[in-house]
Each structure stands twice: as structure tokens, then as C-alpha cells.
Amino acid sequence: MDKRPGRRLRCAIYTRKSSEEGLDMEFNSLDAQREACEAYIASQKSEGWVATRDRYDDGGFSGGNLDRPGLKQLLADIDDGLIDVVVVYKIDRLSRALMDFSKLVEVFDRNGVTFVSVTQSFNTTTSMGRLTLNILLSFAQFEREVIGERIRDKVAASRKRGIWMGGYVPLGYDVQDRKLVINETEAASVRRIFDRFVELGSATMLAKELRREGFRSKQGTLIDKGYLYRVLRNRVYRGEAVHKGKAYPGEHDSIVTDKVWDQVDAILQGNRHARSSNSRMQTPAPLKGLIFTDTGAAMTPTATKKRGKLYRYYVSMDVIKNRATEDDSGGDQAPTRLPPGMVEDAIVTEVRRILQTPEVVTQVLAALKRDQVSEAEAIAALHDFNTLWAQLFPLEQARIIQLLVRRVTVTAAGLEVDIRREGVAGVIREMIAPRDMEAAE
């Protein structure tokens, strides 16, 4: 430090407090720290020490890292040559982490800045001062880690007792006296999400339906499929408190019954296995489990690779198992091997034909009217099925075929398609959802 007579040493006072508690008081912890530092600087007036006017305060910031606005401004001013001495009440106000403090000392040394603690006398320009500093910092870091362990243990113990420990407040609840209490209006929406998911079995369809109705989260944003999954998997709604993957009985009331929760969980587990299986398939086989020969033998998807190209077929299990068929007389027999493109296109054509029949149109319009879908939209979707179908990804097409088709029978005369008419309205509802909803997923 330059101690030449008449040399003014610009002293920056840095203050910090880990929590925001008490900062709104007229005279708070930061003020107390600053007052002590100003008194110390005044005692060094004969040495030319002068406090700077700028304040470097970090109220409500942890000393475990360097991501603090006041500290960042202090370091910037040091690099600009505006500061000669950094004054703090205690060294742990500047940092509680030994590695972080060593970085700060490097900045101080590079700019010829001295670091002073009012309550702990040492000089960082000497080897003994650095040793003393490192010892003090080691104890400060130890203290911080012990405090962290205490907090984690307290949180774990509280969660095991079902106590809510703050943070994100889920839809359906409010916080009163640091406890979760049911918000009846929001709780009705949560129950509807669970009940409707049980009916539809698809988060995609439910998300589109809710977005069409303008359904919003607790934060006021339109919901998407990801938000729905978070709601459907949140065990808070079952009246439980979760800590590190383990659930404990909560002190708050549940919103959904165990029966509904188990139904939703079963659907989610089933969908997860289905997505896992589909992800392993290079190309979906939408008629798997649906297509049979007229003798009742299942036709399973198979594939062969020739010259680097993949060829797919639906092949009768009679052929695969080398079983004799009932009719070996040479008469007309149903095909035992079919290319998927041909048979799948034929299924889509047959589905479209059935969708145009008056009885199906009437059934669909009645179902969609209850969901506030206009008759014009529904009729347009029924007539424009091919266009809507072409906009879907192969896996989505496969899923919709599974929803629409109960059984396909291959005969010598052609294909016989049995449609699940009860699922038509749901599929049409999904396919006419606005495209902006699809983008949001």
C-alpha cells in the first residue's frame, strides 16, 4: 500500500446479508456493517483513508458464490482503478468459499488493492497475513457447509412429517400460515384434468382441448402437454409430500381420490411403455394386433433388408409357423403376405368412407357439440380427412388407427374393417385442433 504523505486511499465498503429478513427495517444489518466500516476508515484518516460515496450492498445474497450484483460492481470499479482499499465488517461478508476468495485476492493483487476486515486484523500483502486469511476462510467455509447440512436435515425431517417447505405453489392450492390449503375453484379444474385424462387416455388430446377453451396455469400462461404431465404426476394432489423421490403423508388435504390417481398412473405407465416400444421401431406398424386372415391367424409385421433397403410386410402367422391352412385345394384363398403401404392406404380409404355415412356423421356432430366444436368445423374435418391425415407424423397416424380400428380381416374378396365408432369423435376433435396448439407441444 502506498503510504506517501498526502496520498488519498479510496476505501470501498462492501456489505452483505444472506437473507432478506429484516432489510426493510429503518436500521438493518447492512447499515450496521457500514457504520462499523465507516468508523474504522475514520480512525485511519491520518493515513489518508477516505470512504467512497458508492455503495456496494448485497442484501439477500449468499456468500457461497460470486454471483452478486454489488460484488460485481465492486470488482468492475477495482478493474477501472477507482478503489485502493476494500473494507468489510468480517471476511465472510465478502465470501464464504475458499476457492472464490482466492480468486478475489488475485483481483486485488493485480490491481494493487488491499483487503481489510474491521473485526479481524491482518494484512493481505504479507505471507503471514495470507496464512491467517486462509485459516479464517477455512473456518468460514466449514461454517457454511455445516449450516447447509442443518438446513437440508431440517427440510428432510419436515417433509417426512408432511410439512410444506415453500417454493412453487401448485394449481389447486393457496398458502395460508405457511400451509397448503385447497383453492376450491382451482381444485375443480385439477379434478377435471384428471377425470378427462382418464376418459381420453391422451395428454396430447387433452392439452389441445384445454388450450381451445383458453385454460391457463396458476401463472396465467396457456397450458401445454408438458404442463399436463407435471400436474398428472404431482403427488401433492394425492395429499402427499415428496422429498428426493420418496412420498410421505402430507398435512394438506388431497384433491384427487386414490382411485382416480391409480387410473391416471396406469395410463401414464402404459403410454410410457408404448412410447418406449415405438422409439425402438424404425417404422411404425399401425395395424399390429389388428389385422387377421379369414382363418383367424394374426398377421404380424416383419421386415427384410435387401441391398441396403428395408422392405416391410404383414405376414400370416400360419406362414411364419409353417402351419397348414384349412383350404389346400387350390381355390381362392386370402393373401398371407401383404405390403404395408397397400393395406394401410386401403384402411385409411375405408375409414374415410365410413366417416361419410349419415349415422357416423350424426354421432360425431352430437358428441362434438357438447365440446363446443362448431358443426361447420366438424363437417369440414370429416370431408377433409385425407388432408388432415397427411399432416400427421407416422407414429401419430399409427396411434389414431389404433383408436379407430377394432379389427381388420383379410379375405379373398378384400378387406373387412370394423371401426370403433365410439372413438371417432375424439379423433376428429384432435385433428381439428388449431395448429398453434400443435406447435406449442
Side-chain angles (χ1 to χ4, degrees):
M1 181 185 301
D2 189 350
K3 295 186 178 181
R4 290 176 299 179
R7 165 73 166 141
R8 287 168 54 88
L9 298 177
R10 297 159 297 181
C11 302
I13 299 173
Y14 178 77
T15 64
R16 182 186 64 80
K17 187 177 186 295
S18 296
S19 68
E20 295 183 358
E21 184 179 356
L23 290 180
D24 55 350
M25 296 173 59
E26 184 176 349
F27 185 80
N28 56 45
S29 175
L30 299 184
D31 296 326
Q33 293 176 46
R34 172 167 288 277
E35 186 177 82
C37 292
E38 287 175 342
Y40 184 85
I41 293 173
S43 70
Q44 302 296 317
K45 186 176 182 181
S46 61
E47 300 293 332
W49 287 31
V50 178
T52 62
R53 294 182 179 179
D54 295 325
R55 298 178 67 99
Y56 304 95
D57 303 325
D58 280 321
F61 288 89
S62 169
N65 58 67
L66 300 179
D67 188 18
R68 290 170 264 157
L71 180 60
K72 289 180 178 179
Q73 184 60 51
L74 175 66
L75 296 177
D77 289 348
I78 289 175
D79 285 333
D80 290 339
L82 303 178
I83 296 170
D84 300 306
V85 182
V86 174
V87 182
V88 296
Y89 183 70
K90 291 177 63 176
I91 61 172
D92 64 356
R93 297 302 88 193
L94 195 60
S95 178
R96 283 179 173 267
L98 188 58
M99 292 300 295
D100 287 344
F101 204 97
S102 65
K103 296 177 183 178
L104 295 175
V105 171
E106 290 179 5
V107 176
F108 298 161
D109 289 347
R110 186 172 65 247
N111 293 276
V113 172
T114 301
F115 168 68
V116 174
S117 169
V118 172
T119 58
Q120 298 148 326
S121 178
F122 58 85
N123 189 338
T124 59
T125 60
T126 67
S127 59
M128 183 58 68
R130 290 180 184 275
L131 175 60
T132 305
L133 175 62
N134 287 336
I135 292 173
L136 292 172
L137 281 173
S138 296
F139 279 103
Q141 180 167 329
F142 172 73
E143 181 184 10
R144 180 172 67 90
E145 292 174 353
V146 169
I147 292 173
E149 289 175 359
R150 287 200 208 107
I151 293 173
R152 287 191 293 272
D153 291 344
K154 180 180 179 181
V155 170
S158 298
R159 296 302 282 171
K160 288 178 181 178
R161 294 173 58 189
I163 299 174
W164 185 72
M165 294 301 294
Y168 165 75
V169 180
L171 180 72
Y173 291 97
D174 293 326
V175 177
Q176 293 180 9
D177 299 327
R178 302 182 67 180
K179 293 183 179 181
L180 291 178
V181 295
I182 293 180
N183 178 318
E184 291 298 341
T185 301
E186 294 180 358
S189 298
V190 171
R191 294 188 189 99
R192 180 176 175 239
I193 288 175
F194 276 81
D195 293 341
R196 193 65 177 139
F197 181 76
V198 171
E199 295 174 3
L200 296 176
S202 168
T204 301
M205 294 173 65
L206 179 56
K208 290 178 178 179
E209 177 180 297
L210 294 176
R211 286 177 66 89
R212 184 167 58 244
E213 297 173 1
F215 188 95
R216 295 182 179 273
S217 69
K218 198 176 186 74
Q219 290 71 36
T221 59
L222 284 173
I223 62 100
D224 56 16
K225 188 163 63 175
Y227 177 84
L228 277 184
Y229 279 128
R230 289 192 295 273
V231 169
L232 295 170
R233 292 180 176 135
N234 193 342
R235 302 184 73 89
V236 168
Y237 297 122
R238 198 180 186 182
E240 296 178 342
V242 179
H243 181 67
K244 292 188 175 181
K246 294 184 178 180
Y248 306 94
E251 64 176 6
H252 62 278
D253 295 328
S254 63
I255 289 180
V256 300
T257 64
D258 288 345
K259 178 182 178 181
V260 172
W261 175 272
D262 291 340
Q263 290 175 326
V264 168
D265 186 61
I267 295 173
L268 290 173
Q269 294 294 339
N271 290 348
R272 184 181 298 115
H273 293 317
R275 287 194 297 272
S276 176
S277 300
N278 286 336
S279 66
R280 292 193 293 267
M281 299 169 58
Q282 292 185 354
T283 309
L287 297 178
K288 183 178 181 179
L290 301 177
I291 186 168
F292 300 84
T293 65
D294 56 358
T295 63
M299 299 187 73
T300 187
T302 61
T304 59
K305 207 169 187 179
K306 294 182 180 179
R307 298 177 183 177
K309 188 174 181 180
L310 189 68
Y311 295 86
R312 296 191 302 122
Y313 301 92
Y314 287 102
V315 181
S316 169
M317 290 299 297
D318 287 336
V319 175
I320 294 176
K321 298 292 186 180
N322 198 26
R323 297 190 295 238
T325 58
E326 294 180 1
D327 184 5
D328 292 327
S329 61
D332 292 337
Q333 295 186 27
T336 56
R337 182 188 298 266
L338 292 171
M342 179 192 73
V343 67
E344 289 164 11
D345 288 346
I347 295 301
V348 174
T349 300
E350 181 63 10
V351 168
R352 184 179 186 279
R353 184 192 67 78
I354 293 175
L355 292 180
Q356 307 302 314
T357 58
E359 60 270 25
V360 171
V361 172
T362 302
Q363 178 184 355
V364 170
L365 292 179
L368 294 182
K369 187 176 181 180
R370 292 194 298 268
D371 295 324
Q372 297 181 339
V373 176
S374 70
E375 183 172 318
E377 284 181 305
I379 293 177
L382 289 169
H383 285 285
D384 203 22
F385 182 81
N386 285 347
T387 301
L388 295 172
W389 179 263
Q391 296 173 356
L392 301 177
F393 292 109
L395 285 175
E396 195 69 2
Q397 292 177 346
R399 188 181 67 82
I400 287 182
I401 284 182
Q402 291 284 331
L403 292 174
L404 283 178
V405 178
R406 179 176 287 108
R407 184 185 178 96
V408 176
T409 304
V410 180
T411 69
L415 301 175
E416 296 177 358
V417 183
D418 184 11
I419 293 292
R420 299 179 187 271
R421 298 194 176 190
E422 66 275 13
V424 173
V427 170
I428 295 300
R429 183 191 303 110
E430 178 178 354
M431 295 180 70
I432 65 178
R435 294 186 181 180
D436 56 21
M437 298 180 188
E438 298 177 5
E441 298 171 7

